[in-house]
Amino acid sequence: MSSKVYYEASGIRILCDDTLTTEQIPQNSIDLVVTSPPYNLDVSYESHNDGIDYDEYLEFSKRWMTKCLTLLKPDGRMCLNIPLDKFKGGHHSVGADLTLIAKEAGFKYHSTVIWNEGNISRRSAWGSWLSASCPYVIAPVELIVILYKGTWKKQGGSKKNDIIKDEFTSWTSGVWTFQGERKSKIGHPSPFPIELPKRCIKLFSFVGDIILDPFMGSGSTLIAAKQNGRKAVGIDIEPNYCEIARKRLVQEATS
């Protein structure tokens, strides 16, 4: 087993590696990427600088997206969970900018899901209070941008679906409402709830497909994949987060 492989069992693999340089995943082998990359909001990760210049952040984003494109099968897809915008360190249209970067990297655009976290308490500033001088407009939502590599219609895989009628009807509406994940519960500074990758996996992949999360973090994507009959690979450069993901897999994913 490669020294980069932190954990491997029952079709689930954790790589303690750098997504940009990893050689552990064959090209054209992944069915679906589900990920929430660093937001560049100066979050305190253990070994990643989350406060770089915005142009540098966009260049980093283009590099990892290009790498993911090479790993996806010709009919592969990507669900990209990103902020709508950001205000810390300057106002930027992050969602629009990263969608454009993805297209520049070679992805094709399909659609966007609005994830309504319903948590307006996250606002950090009002701007000017009760004044038109400089108010801030802050939406308690994030985006899940749906992209694909070559062709939207899936040609391969098991063709076996496990999504039920109510799920399909609700999840194709384009607005998803569920709560985010608490940092204190998981032990990672930016976890996302299992509900997010679960919906992406059931809606956009067949049973038995291979799912990749290039910024695995606390392992939510891997847990959702395991719970729903998919194989999965998660990559994280930080050994501590790999261990958090491993423990969560053992505790939360069904055998």
Side-chain angles (χ1 to χ4, degrees):
M1 182 181 294
S2 167
S3 60
K4 302 288 187 180
V5 179
Y6 190 91
Y7 169 87
E8 186 168 16
S10 303
I12 306 295
R13 197 158 43 123
I14 293 176
L15 301 178
C16 190
D17 204 354
D18 187 337
T19 289
L20 296 176
T21 59
T22 186
E23 297 180 351
Q24 300 298 311
I25 305 171
Q27 294 185 6
N28 302 302
S29 66
I30 300 298
D31 293 286
L32 174 67
V33 174
V34 180
T35 195
S36 183
Y39 285 4
N40 203 41
L41 295 175
D42 204 22
V43 173
S44 182
Y45 294 106
E46 296 195 8
S47 58
H48 170 76
N49 182 1
D50 196 49
I52 60 179
D53 178 80
Y54 191 65
D55 288 339
E56 186 180 352
Y57 172 68
L58 294 181
E59 177 58 31
F60 162 74
S61 300
K62 188 172 183 179
R63 289 172 63 201
W64 77 255
M65 289 182 193
T66 301
K67 178 61 177 260
C68 284
L69 192 72
T70 68
L71 302 180
L72 280 168
K73 295 177 180 178
D75 59 355
R77 299 156 171 182
M78 178 163 74
C79 297
L80 179 59
N81 172 220
I82 51 178
L84 175 64
D85 45 30
K86 64 169 279 192
F87 300 94
K88 191 171 185 177
H91 293 229
H92 296 288
S93 53
V94 183
D97 294 342
L98 289 184
T99 301
L100 178 61
I101 288 292
K103 292 193 287 186
E104 290 177 353
F107 279 97
K108 298 177 182 179
Y109 175 82
H110 182 264
S111 56
T112 297
V113 171
I114 305 299
W115 172 26
N116 177 17
E117 296 181 82
N119 188 5
I120 197 64
S121 65
R122 286 192 175 187
R123 81 161 56 244
S124 57
W126 297 100
S128 59
W129 173 247
L130 297 179
S131 170
S133 62
C134 58
Y136 287 1
V137 177
I138 301 176
V141 302
E142 294 190 5
L143 307 179
I144 303 168
V145 182
I146 315 302
L147 305 145
Y148 63 103
K149 182 173 180 176
T151 176
W152 176 246
K153 185 173 182 179
K154 282 183 64 64
Q155 306 294 328
S158 69
K159 304 294 197 307
K160 181 180 179 182
N161 298 288
D162 58 348
I163 192 167
I164 62 176
K165 179 181 177 180
D166 288 348
E167 291 173 337
F168 190 87
T169 302
S170 174
W171 300 349
T172 53
S173 71
V175 179
W176 295 354
T177 301
F178 54 87
Q179 291 295 314
E181 190 65 87
R182 290 179 298 163
K183 302 175 186 179
S184 59
K185 176 183 175 183
I186 301 299
H188 183 274
S190 298
F192 61 29
I194 294 173
E195 183 69 17
L196 190 154
K198 182 189 83 171
R199 294 187 182 199
C200 294
I201 287 168
K202 294 188 72 174
L203 191 57
F204 298 115
S205 74
F206 292 133
V207 173
D209 276 358
I210 303 175
I211 315 301
L212 169 66
D213 189 340
F215 300 99
M216 174 193 64
S218 62
S220 296
T221 298
L222 273 60
I223 294 168
K226 178 62 177 174
Q227 289 177 340
N228 293 281
R230 274 69 166 177
K231 302 172 185 176
V233 182
I235 308 174
D236 205 289
I237 200 168
E238 174 54 52
N240 184 44
Y241 299 156
C242 291
E243 179 61 13
I244 290 173
R246 185 197 67 80
K247 287 181 177 178
R248 291 188 71 206
L249 273 166
V250 172
Q251 294 169 0
E252 300 179 44
T254 57
S255 58

